[in-house]
Amino acid sequence: MKIKILLPLLFLFNTVIFSQIQLSAGTFIGASSFSSTSPSVSGFATGFFIETDTPLFEEVYPRLGFTFMKDINAIIPNNRNPYYPSMLTFSFKGVTSQYFDSKIFLEESIGIVTLNDRTFVDKNSWEYGVALSFLAGYDFRNFNLKGLKTGVAVDYGITFTGSLPTFLSFVLQFHYTF
């Protein structure tokens, strides 16, 4: 529990102390498939993230993210099921990008994930593992590097504790640099 509080505080502390750091934020929405001790559940995924341009390593930047995934039947009208499976993730990733020209790029990230598994009514467990994602995108920014980037991403996560929940999401991502 202390790590869940300590990492975001360190991340924000870095941003305030080093005033020349650019902060960027993003959001995404798409389709998801997740499972633990159950068959795979088709659903939707949405979330947001924040990122700075302070490198962890050479050209690897930190990103804190939050993702919510829920059974697709939860948004279908007139469906009266009392419970819909869901998962909630918090991630800390290192992100790097390769540009093919001035606008088209590929982004990769890998990091740690904390996952709240609620695939069954009586299940509410926290599991820990890794997350990996790839994004093919288009950069709308000018030479001042402030503005919007967008792309299509695939995000995969697997945990190594408890019932070994996993998820796979295909999302449309929007990323704005302030």
Side-chain angles (χ1 to χ4, degrees):
M1 185 63 168
K2 291 178 185 178
I3 264 205
K4 291 179 204 172
I5 296 169
L6 187 61
L7 277 178
L9 287 178
L10 285 174
F11 189 72
L12 292 174
F13 182 72
N14 254 351
T15 304
V16 172
I17 294 299
F18 301 107
S19 60
Q20 293 182 348
I21 294 175
Q22 288 184 335
L23 184 66
S24 60
T27 187
F28 51 88
I29 189 164
S32 173
S33 175
F34 55 92
S35 67
S36 79
T37 55
S38 66
S40 210
V41 176
S42 297
F44 65 92
T46 186
F48 63 90
F49 59 88
I50 56 173
E51 181 180 313
T52 68
D53 67 347
T54 304
L56 293 171
F57 305 104
E58 189 174 332
E59 296 189 27
V60 177
Y61 302 100
R63 178 182 288 176
L64 285 175
F66 163 82
T67 306
F68 177 72
M69 294 168 277
K70 194 162 190 165
D71 186 357
I72 195 70
N73 291 320
I75 58 175
I76 295 176
N78 294 326
N79 191 343
R80 303 198 191 283
N81 192 359
Y83 181 77
Y84 301 102
S86 66
M87 284 190 180
L88 177 70
T89 69
F90 297 98
S91 61
F92 180 72
K93 296 179 183 177
V95 180
T96 187
S97 298
Q98 289 83 37
Y99 279 79
F100 298 112
D101 65 12
S102 64
K103 298 292 184 184
I104 298 172
F105 68 97
L106 180 66
E107 178 183 280
E108 306 90 19
S109 67
I110 189 167
I112 57 174
V113 66
T114 301
L115 185 142
N116 181 233
D117 183 9
R118 293 180 177 219
T119 51
F120 295 107
V121 175
D122 60 345
K123 187 171 192 173
N124 184 8
S125 64
W126 288 93
E127 314 296 343
Y128 306 95
V130 296
L132 173 69
S133 66
F134 296 98
L135 175 133
Y138 188 80
D139 193 343
F140 292 100
R141 301 180 300 174
N142 295 328
F143 293 107
N144 64 0
L145 297 180
K146 294 182 189 271
L148 181 69
K149 297 190 305 185
T150 188
V152 178
V154 60
D155 192 16
Y156 176 73
I158 186 168
T159 61
F160 303 116
T161 60
S163 57
L164 305 174
T166 62
F167 64 89
L168 178 66
S169 301
F170 297 94
V171 296
L172 179 60
Q173 177 177 301
F174 300 96
H175 183 176
Y176 191 84
T177 302
F178 301 98

